[in-house]
Every structure is written in structure tokens, then in C-alpha cells.
Amino acid sequence: MIQKYQFGAPFETDAVVKKLQSNKYPTQTIVNGTTKIILTEDKSHSFTWTYTLKDTDIVYGLGEANRGINKRGWIYKSWCTDDPVHTENKESLYGAHNFIMIYHPETPDSTFALFFDYPGKVTFDIGYTKTNELKIQIEDNNLYVYEITPDNSSPLTNIITQFRALIGQSYLPPRWAFGMGQSRWGYKNANDIRTVYQKYKQAGIPLDSIYLDIDYMVNYKDFTIDTQKFPSLKDLVLELKKDGVRLVPIIDAGVKIEENYDIYEEGKTHDFFCKRKDGTNFVAGVWPGKTHFPDFLNPEVRSWFGSKYKILTDEGIEGFWNDMNEPAIFYSEEGLSETFTKLKECEKENLDIKSFFQTRSLMHSISNNEKDYKRFYHKTTQGIICHDKLHNLFGYNMTRAAGEAFKTISPDKRLLMFSRSSYIGMHRYGGIWMGDNQSWWQHILLNLKMLPSLNMCGFLYTGADTGGFGGNTTRDLLLRWYALSIFTPLFRNHSALGTREQECYQFEQTNDFKSIVQLRYRLIPYLYSEYMKAALNNTMMFRPLTFDYPKDFRVLEIEDQLMLGNEIMIAPIYTQNTRGRYVYLPENMTKIVWQDGEILSTKSLTKGDNYIECDLNQVVFFIKGNAIIPLAPICNCTDKLDYSKLEILGEGASYELYTDNGFTTNPKKDGMIRILKNT
Amino acid sequence: MIQKYQFGAPFETDAVVKKLQSNKYPTQTIVNGTTKIILTEDKSHSFTWTYTLKDTDIVYGLGEANRGINKRGWIYKSWCTDDPVHTENKESLYGAHNFIMIYHPETPDSTFALFFDYPGKVTFDIGYTKTNELKIQIEDNNLYVYEITPDNSSPLTNIITQFRALIGQSYLPPRWAFGMGQSRWGYKNANDIRTVYQKYKQAGIPLDSIYLDIDYMVNYKDFTIDTQKFPSLKDLVLELKKDGVRLVPIIDAGVKIEENYDIYEEGKTHDFFCKRKDGTNFVAGVWPGKTHFPDFLNPEVRSWFGSKYKILTDEGIEGFWNDMNEPAIFYSEEGLSETFTKLKECEKENLDIKSFFQTRSLMHSISNNEKDYKRFYHKTTQGIICHDKLHNLFGYNMTRAAGEAFKTISPDKRLLMFSRSSYIGMHRYGGIWMGDNQSWWQHILLNLKMLPSLNMCGFLYTGADTGGFGGNTTRDLLLRWYALSIFTPLFRNHSALGTREQECYQFEQTNDFKSIVQLRYRLIPYLYSEYMKAALNNTMMFRPLTFDYPKDFRVLEIEDQLMLGNEIMIAPIYTQNTRGRYVYLPENMTKIVWQDGEILSTKSLTKGDNYIECDLNQVVFFIKGNAIIPLAPICNCTDKLDYSKLEILGEGASYELYTDNGFTTNPKKDGMIRILKNT
């Protein structure tokens, strides 16, 4: 059951699609015996929600967030942030997903979840200050709170399904978006793109897409194509498409201030940019230098900006990624000026312990400074509102602009769309990638841990920058990361300018990569089918083991294994110089070992603890004892996927395969299942 | 066997104490079948040593370094660096320990080790560029290389013992230095110290030392005491000493430039500071603002600076920590001036993708900039040499200054001394702490992994800032870290200004901390005995399991368990929200569970894989099946340790207890062992 509570006069974020009546929130409730929920709206009009956790409770949720699947023991702040160094201590990443679920393993029926529909900063202190205190704080008391309690005896999955129905059906990518993508900030021109395409082809490694980072544009101007570097994008698109390879350009949030640049001129003429209090257009430094931000909170601006994607679809483009839409701000005009003034004051001093660090941090804190987010305003249907009150809706509404426009631009064919920043609600318009991670072993595990949390919040189309965006990768790190990413819907190798090049063909024994990617393509019928069923039925594609085995308390703490769809369990290796790991099997399962482009072995294993060996050139995964999965023949791109020749893997009896044409914009829930039998 | 090879005209670092004849190095050698060692001295006079690794080889060594016990798969640079953010990608930490050992598990007799005695930058590419290529590069070809091959059938331990004999006996701390220490950058005055002391006393948590960070000095001036904050340090020392608590002040590398400050005036008068090329004293900004660096490479300067420690021993001080001695440089006068000039040039531009990041990084790269290390010189017995050629010897020689002086200052009583920066050789004069880590779970594991690597290089007295120096800790992190640190010789809780306070009494259920620290004190007879035996016999106190079980290939990859002394194995929990972990037992062992100040259970376990539960308030460790260890009665400080009432724990027959008075400066190897029998 879902209860909706209204506090004050909330901003309508459009996160939720179901219309519900609001109730008055009880100020104190007894839940689960003695535990208390206390809600305070204090004099300063701030909002606090407090709950006493039992030692054994698990707190799920928060979508794209740092640290564990169980969020206990840290403080998280929903505040969309462009911070590429995801060390353990970070409190905010790119998305703001204010959903948490409190699970009582011993009394599962008392499990409940909360969604705080508030578009500004929300602080979740989940046992950081006091071990057993969960405290959620908002500076402002205008919000909706949705409380969800289970309707049946599977509380975890039931609560998620209720929540997902509340927020609406997840975005559906085209099937080709399940192919491998190669990306790098640093491909300078059409020839660089051709080199990537040809080298993958030569290596025999399947590929479905190559990404265009910011260098395809003229001076980083949205919706321009630099014809010096890309003489004919349309021809390049056609050339690569013959081998099933699609180009996916980036779109940034800031519009360069430049006379006679049409997007800038139109935005200026129609007052489509975010304004300062005095009515002038706010100036933010980003890639092109000084820019204005389109006011995506204004439906008219969304409609205008969204229509511009047609400039690229007219060139044959079928997918996009929206970036820098937290929005990232390198500097504001105001911030830059203040900083230089202060720096000059420091210059004359004997810089000691106090003054030196202040001086050094001046330049650092100039970027993504909270002061700047208070310096501009949105013209919404609900009035003119300062950005900092709506901060977490910016990326959402940029991507919504695209998603709404796609209905007109591409009425019959689903386009690929994913964003860096997001808020719940955006999951209906696109996926997200997990932001600018690093070539760190621990980020393989962080990648894995975010998957179920994101699925809870409706973000099914997701994955991490495989190999790591920042920093230098190594061959073994990349192989191990591939062995996880081949299971995630978004499967993209992406890296930053200045880092070690990390396309598969840059490393020794390229065949090891080829083999692992081939497994991905063999699995696409399964992955796509599980994705579509999860999206259409409001379920999770990736689940912590507890969701499937709630009575087995050994799985409660397992955060390095996941259930994938209804048939598979994954347990990747995420540490260097190790060829094995422990895996707990919650039931009898079949261990599949993949190597050299084929199944090396299948072995039935018994429920319990297992030490599993997995060499760098292998992938190991597990099929439930009573399940089967389909495998497509090896192919080099999704266009060549042959559904007529599916093989069956596993010991069970049958599998429900979701089939459609892979791109329809009118997908059906019923009648699309083909039952595969194990003969 | 040890072979010494000389290249060019090496600087005599005094890392090695044994006089050996130099040989000519063979330019190409066949080792272990087809594997090649190739040495090149190319035209540019750089030095390269290359070796082809087998897939199964393990590379040990590098002392205080990032990442795994097995160093394969990354690039490391020996360059003493003050960098407090030890993420996976970092190549340099505070120490420079150029020792590596290449272990062939299948042909252990062909195992060998190398020590590159070179005081400037050394790069170890251990399979980063090419998976199986180990490449060691130095810009200069003036160095000694020591190659060590095994003399008996235990190659790993034998090589280490040979190397340790080569570099001389490890530093011996007083026994009280095995007690717990509480530290924080932020204790402002004597009352803050008293509060710590009293709160620990009230909580009943054993304590042996409280550290004085930089605030005890007058404006961060070495060897001064701020009598505003500490009206009588001598009285405070006496007051705390009654309860066995000692004060341990910090000493920094830079001497404040201030007229009439005696240390500054003496250094200036006698030309004891590092000079620029033009003969003027080099100016480095550190805590006090502008400072000069004492030229520790000059024996006369060492003698002068070392004698100053007496100012503090005269106050009753018995231990010190040397800091900032990489040396850390916040800025040089030259660097600061260049930066401000460039910043002004940037101010007028439209800062775009290129110029913005350049501008922002200007202030950041001002600190510990390699250019500054080329700006000053040392007057050594071997001539005037630019600092960057001897960089890694600076911290070593600062601590050597103290160590050499202690022979006069405290001829009969060992003093505590540990340093941040180090080079092999410094292990004879003091220990090190593992630098400015963070309150990250992964740093518990990094702490564990560094222990055996440091032991190989002679650094036995070591430990990490328990709870993490930077960042905010949590109660559970601190408890888990304590459950490791109670086993390390240096056991200190330390944190930075501005972070969450992390003394044990700051958290709920302080008794859980009390219990864990009590176990430490019960273990001191064992830890001290194993330490003394390791130091006097040139063995390792902490060992990877492979050292003890070379025929069990399952232990080769285990990097989260260690052998501690001859009797114990430790396997701490280092992940949040987990109450259990897998532990591999290489032989039958007894599992000890400690809780609430007592042994909760002892259980015999069988060789093989075990899933071990360990709650937050527990410590679990393992005693070998045929071993026993002594346990002292619980006490509140090492002064109260009662060796007459030792209990025995374990299933074996006897234990060799090393006993002395805990402070003699003339420790004996023979005749100090008392055999404890299991009756």
C-alpha cells in the first residue's frame, strides 16, 4: 500500500505518475514493536524524519550512490554533483534518488519504504552520527513523502513493484544498445573513429557503437558538427552502419555564448536561458568557456531544446548521451572574479598553516560551488524559483526534453538516450551511466553494488565506464571489468583524455577480450528479455540475493554477488592478482566457465560455500538448478543476432523469452513471450 | 648469497652496513630456464633492468607502497611524497624502499631479490606496461645493485634474513611503545591533553601515550614549547606518567625563519641550512610559513639538530615522531611567485577547456613540486649535490640525526622514535607510521598489506593511523580497525584537524573499545617477544602465508590474512556491514574469539576454507595447532604489565618468550629466552 503525505506546498517534480490523495502524516508512530518514527517540522521550517534501526536491519535504496548495497554507516546527500573521484568518503554523486527501504530480516512483513519527493538537497544520515539512528533532513518543509508497505508475503519485491508502478515505466532502449560500445574523450575526427571501427573489425571483437565525445562539435557548441574533423557525418554513419556500428554523440548542458551561433541566438531571443535575480542571463564556464544554461524546467524550453536533437537524427544518428547536466560549473563569472580578488590579497602574506591552505583551496572550490547554484533562477509553471531549490531536477529535465521530443522525431523507432545527472522520474526518458569513475579495482565492485540500487529506483538501463574513465587502466583490470560489464545493459568502454588508451586492441592477447565480448553477444537474447520483462512488469533485473532467498540469513551481507534476471547469479572477481574467489550458492546451481569463445565447462554445484577459480581469460557465472537460459550464436553486432538458432544452457525445463523487433515504440506486455523448452 | 654490483660512482647512502666487494654485472643472464635479465646503460646514462616474469611469479617488496602484497600489475616510483590521498592509482608514498623479491612458486630455489641502492627517483614498472615485463629504471647510472639468492631450502625467509643482515639490525623501541597511543592534530593545550587522559581513565581503556601534534610549539617552531598552552610541560609529563601515560611530541623538518629564534639563528650562523645554487638559504613554506631546511646530509648538521632533542628529553619526554621530512613543501618562494604571475595572465581570458584546467591546477601543483626539489643543494661528505639526486635520503637522515644523538642523550634507555619519510637504512634508527591515510575501509586492508612488505625492508616498528587520519570515521570502522591495530607494534589512534573526533570515548558503547584494547595489553608479552626475536634474528614479524606454507598453492593469492610471529594468524574484517568473512586455514588451528574483556570461545578448526563470524565487539584470531602463546593479565598501561602471571593459550607444548627490562640499549640475543610450557 502506498500512502502519500504532503508537507507545505511542494514543487511538482513529475517524479510520480500515479495520482494519489494526500494524507496528514502522523507525527509519531510505533512500527515493529518499540521502534519509533518521529517527524519534526521545526521553527526554521526544516524537515526531519527519524527512525531507530535494529542492529539487524538493512537499509536499501538511494539509487546512484556511493558505498554498499546496504547503505548503513554513512551520510549521503542527494545533490547532483560532478565529482570524478568516487572515494569512500564522498556523499554525493551525479544523481539524486531519494528512495530508501528499511528491511527487517526477522520480521519481513514490517519492511517499508519511503520516497522523499523533494528537488533540493536531502541529507540521509544512515547510522553515521548514531549507529542505530536513521535521520533524513531537508532545509525546507515543502515536499511529498510516499510510504510504501508490502501487500503480500514477498515484501522486498512487492514494495519495489509498487514503487515502480508509482513512478512509471522505465525507459526502453533499442536492442542494439545492448551491444558493446567503445568510447573515449579524445577521438579527434572521423579518421580516429574509423581507426577504432577497423581495429575492432580486424580483431574480430563484436561492436555496436562508437561514441562521439565533445570533440565532434565546433568549439563544444551543442548541435554543431565540425566539418573540418567530420567532413560528412551522414556518410560516416552510413559507412559504419553497414557493419552494424552506430555513432552516439554527446550533448552538453551549457550553450556557448557566441554571436551568430543559432542555438545561442534563439535562446537569447526567446529568453530560454536561466537568469540571475536581476534578469540577466547567468554565465557559467564549461567546455566552451562562457555559456548559458537552457532553462529545462520551462516546458517551452524543453520543447525547443528537444527539437534540436533532430539536427543529428537527420544525419542518421540513433542515440545520444547527455552530459554535464548536474549542471557542472567550472566557474561562474562572479566566482572567478571573487577568487582572483582574494588571491591577490594572499600574494603578499607569509603563507602559513592557516592562510596557505585557504589560498590553495580558492581555485579548487571555484568549481561546482554551491554559491553559484544560488545565483540563477528557473521560470517554471509553478513560478520563478531559485536553482538551488530545484537543483536535482536539471539533468532530469534536460533528458526529458530529449525524450519528449523523440516521440515526434522518431515516432516508430526507439532511440538510445542516457544521461549523467538524474532524478527519479527521469528513468522514464533515459538511462544513466554511473558517471566519471576511475581505473580502480574497487570501482568494479562499486559498479556492481550500484546496479540493484538503481534498479529499485527505475534506472534499468545503466552501466559503468568499463575500464575506468579517469586514471590509467591495466590489462587485467580491464579484463575483470569486462567480465562484469558484459552482464550490464549499458556496456561501454570509456576513458578520459590523457589516460592510457584502453580499447581492447591496445593490449596483449586481444583474443581474451574477443572471447569475453562474444559471450555478451551470446547472452543478449537473455539480457534483453530480462530487461524488457523487468521494465514492463516493474521488477528489478539485478537483485541482492536476499530478494530471492529471504529466509537464508547467510546472504544478507553478500554484496559481491547479484541475481541477474530470474535465472542467473553473477560473482565477478574484483581484486588484482587473484585467480579465484569465494562464492556462496543459496541453492544448487550450475557453474558455467567460458573461455576462448566457448563454454569450457558446466558443473553442478551444491548450495553452500565454494571457492571458485576463474582465470583472467575466463568468465564464470551461475545458472539456477531449475533454470535454463537461451544463447544466441556468436555474431559481431546486434543486427546479426540470429534468434532462430538459440541454444539452451542449464538444467531446468523452460524459459520465457521476451521477443519483439528490438525497436518498437509501442512495446506490449502480453503476448510477446515465447516459451523455450529444454529438450 | 649476496652479490654487490657497482655502476658508475654511487652516492654512499649508508643503507647497507656490511662491507662487500663489488662485481661487474653480467649484461645478460639466463635465469630459471628461458627467462632473461637484461641490463642496459644507454647513451643518456640512464639505467634499466628488465626481467620477464612467468604468469605464476610473485613480486614481493617495495616496503611502504600502495596496492597489494604482490606488487604485480602497477607502476611504482620511489620518491618520498607527502600525499595524503592514497587511492589505488598513486605511485609514490612517504618512503622509498627499493627492495624487490621475485618468487617462483613452482621452482622456489630460483627465487631472488634485488636492492637498488640509489637515493633519487627509481621507477618500478611491474607488469604495468607489459603484463609479464618487470622493468626498473633510473635516470642516472650511479648506483649499487645487490642481488640476493637463497642459501638454503627456505628461499623466501632465507633471502629476507640475508638482506636484513646486510642492512643492519632494526630499531628497537622501548616496551611502553607497544601500549596504545592516542593522538590528534587539534589538541590545543595542556587541558586538552588532560581531558584525553582523564576520559580514557574514566572509560577504563588502557593507554600508554598521548601525542603532541604541531600545536604544542610556539608558532610551529621546532624545539620550542608554547608556555601559554603548556605552562609546565615537565609537570604535565610527571602528572600523566603516574598512570603510565607518556607524551610524545612531533618534530618537523623545516625551521621557521624568525629573527632571534635560537635554532634559526644557530643554523644561519653555522651555515646548516640547505642552500640554493647561488649560496643563499632555500626558503620553503611549511606550517610556520617560510622556513629553511636543515641539511641533514651533512654529519655536522645531524649532530647539531640531534642534540636539540635534549631540550625535550630534559622535560621528561621519552619519545618523538619526525614529520614533514620528505621534505613536504607547501610552496617555495620561487614557485609562489611564478604561480601568481601566471594566474594574473589567466584572469583576463575566456577560460575554456584548455585554459581553465591549467589555471585551476596552478595552485594545486604548487605543493611538493618536483621543480622545487631541484632548487636546493646538500653539502655532503661526498660533495655538494642537488637535492633531487638525494631526495629519498632526507627523512632518513633527519631520523638518523635523532637516533645518533639518542646514544648520548639517553645512553641507558631506549627512546621511541618514528618518522613519516624513510629510506632503507633508517630502519636502524626508528620506525615509521604509514603516513596520512584516510578513514576508509580499504585503508584497513592497505594497512595489513604494508606490514609484511615493510618487515622485509627492516621496518618492524610500524602501524597505521588507526581510524584514519583524514576524513570522518564511523564507530564500526574504528572498531574493525582496532581489531587489526591491536596486533601492530605501533598502535595509535590519530586524526586530522577538522575531521570527526575519534578517541574511543567519542562513541557509543565505549566498553567495546575497552575490551579490544584490553586484548592488546594481554598480548603484549607475545607481541614484544616476537618483535625482539624478529629484530635480533633478522626475521619478519608479519609474513604472507606463502612464507610459512610454500607448498600450499592456495595461499599464494591470500592478501587479507597474515602470519604474526611464529604462533598466530590474523584475518581481520575490513568491509562495512559484515559480521563474517572467509578464512583459509593452511593447517589445523585454534580459533580464539575475544569479547567483553575475556575469551568467549576457543575452537579447533580443520585446515581448509572456513566462514568465520566476528561481531563488531569481537576480535577473532588463530593460533597454530601446535603452538601456545602467553597472555598477560589485563592492565591499564605497560608499566603495570605483570610477567609473573602469564597465562597460556593454545594447544601446543611450549613458547619461547623473549624477556628483558623493556628499555635496555644493549639488548642481547642469547640467554634472554624463557621457555613457557603448556602444563
Side-chain angles (χ1 to χ4, degrees), chain A residues 455-514:
Chain A
N455 278 198
M456 291 174 201
C457 299
F459 292 93
L460 297 183
Y461 191 75
T462 189
D465 284 351
T466 306
F469 176 71
N472 295 321
T473 198
T474 54
R475 182 178 184 273
D476 54 352
L477 173 69
L478 193 62
L479 280 167
R480 290 302 192 197
W481 210 322
Y482 263 72
L484 168 60
S485 290
I486 58 162
F487 295 107
T488 65
L490 170 59
F491 170 30
R492 180 174 77 142
N493 177 333
H494 183 48
S495 59
L497 190 72
T499 63
R500 184 180 195 173
E501 293 178 306
Q502 67 185 38
E503 296 81 10
C504 297
Y505 53 76
Q506 305 284 0
F507 297 93
E508 304 140 281
Q509 289 166 269
T510 305
N511 276 344
D512 291 346
F513 290 95
K514 178 179 166 181

Side-chain angles (χ1 to χ4, degrees), chain B residues 598-659:
Chain B
E598 59 182 31
I599 293 164
L600 185 72
S601 67
T602 63
K603 189 180 175 189
S604 296
L605 296 179
T606 317
K607 173 179 154 84
D609 297 310
N610 290 270
Y611 188 84
I612 302 291
E613 294 188 348
C614 177
D615 277 338
L616 272 179
N617 61 344
Q618 297 177 330
V619 181
V620 171
F621 64 100
F622 304 87
I623 302 177
K624 287 187 195 172
N626 61 354
I628 56 167
I629 64 166
L631 284 186
I634 288 177
C635 62
N636 280 329
C637 62
T638 54
D639 286 353
K640 301 273 169 62
L641 271 174
D642 190 349
Y643 272 64
S644 73
K645 291 181 180 160
L646 298 181
E647 285 174 50
I648 295 297
L649 192 60
E651 310 283 316
S654 68
Y655 175 73
E656 296 191 351
L657 182 75
Y658 184 93
T659 54

Side-chain angles (χ1 to χ4, degrees), chain A residues 423-438:
Chain A
Y423 184 83
I424 288 173
M426 203 206 82
H427 70 285
R428 303 192 298 270
Y429 302 100
I432 58 168
W433 85 100
M434 293 173 185
D436 297 347
N437 61 3
Q438 301 281 331

Side-chain angles (χ1 to χ4, degrees), chain A residues 59-226:
Chain A
V59 180
Y60 290 112
L62 295 187
E64 185 188 40
N66 209 349
R67 300 172 76 105
I69 293 174
N70 182 355
K71 310 311 286 184
R72 288 187 75 160
W74 196 240
I75 197 161
Y76 301 86
K77 289 179 183 155
S78 282
W79 185 259
C80 298
T81 301
D82 171 27
D83 179 344
V85 188
H86 312 159
T87 47
E88 281 178 35
N89 53 302
K90 295 300 168 71
E91 297 168 338
S92 304
L93 297 179
Y94 309 84
H97 307 142
N98 303 331
F99 171 81
I100 58 164
M101 176 158 61
I102 294 121
Y103 177 56
H104 307 289
E106 285 121 2
T107 54
D109 293 346
S110 61
T111 297
F112 66 100
L114 296 159
F115 172 49
F116 298 87
D117 188 11
Y118 177 78
K121 186 183 282 180
V122 185
T123 302
F124 295 84
D125 182 339
I126 309 179
Y128 165 77
T129 304
K130 293 185 193 167
T131 300
N132 286 336
E133 187 179 85
L134 167 56
K135 195 173 202 169
I136 292 146
Q137 286 184 291
I138 303 176
E139 282 177 14
D140 181 330
N141 65 356
N142 299 299
L143 75 153
Y144 294 112
V145 178
Y146 296 85
E147 187 178 88
I148 311 170
T149 47
D151 287 339
N152 67 26
S153 58
S154 297
L156 290 170
T157 49
N158 172 263
I159 284 174
I160 296 302
T161 297
Q162 289 188 66
F163 178 59
R164 294 272 300 284
L166 178 72
I167 59 175
Q169 186 192 291
S170 295
Y171 161 76
L172 298 175
R175 188 167 54 213
W176 66 262
F178 286 75
M180 188 180 86
Q182 180 59 54
S183 184
R184 180 172 173 85
W185 169 24
Y187 299 150
K188 294 182 303 297
N189 53 39
N191 279 343
D192 280 1
I193 300 297
R194 269 192 200 96
T195 301
V196 174
Y197 154 68
Q198 280 157 0
K199 292 224 170 188
Y200 268 101
K201 197 172 169 176
Q202 280 159 20
I205 302 174
L207 190 70
D208 258 75
S209 53
I210 301 175
Y211 286 75
L212 301 176
D213 209 316
I214 54 176
D215 292 299
Y216 80 90
M217 296 179 268
V218 182
N219 295 328
Y220 319 113
K221 288 186 290 186
D222 276 340
F223 307 113
T224 64
I225 299 157
D226 189 330

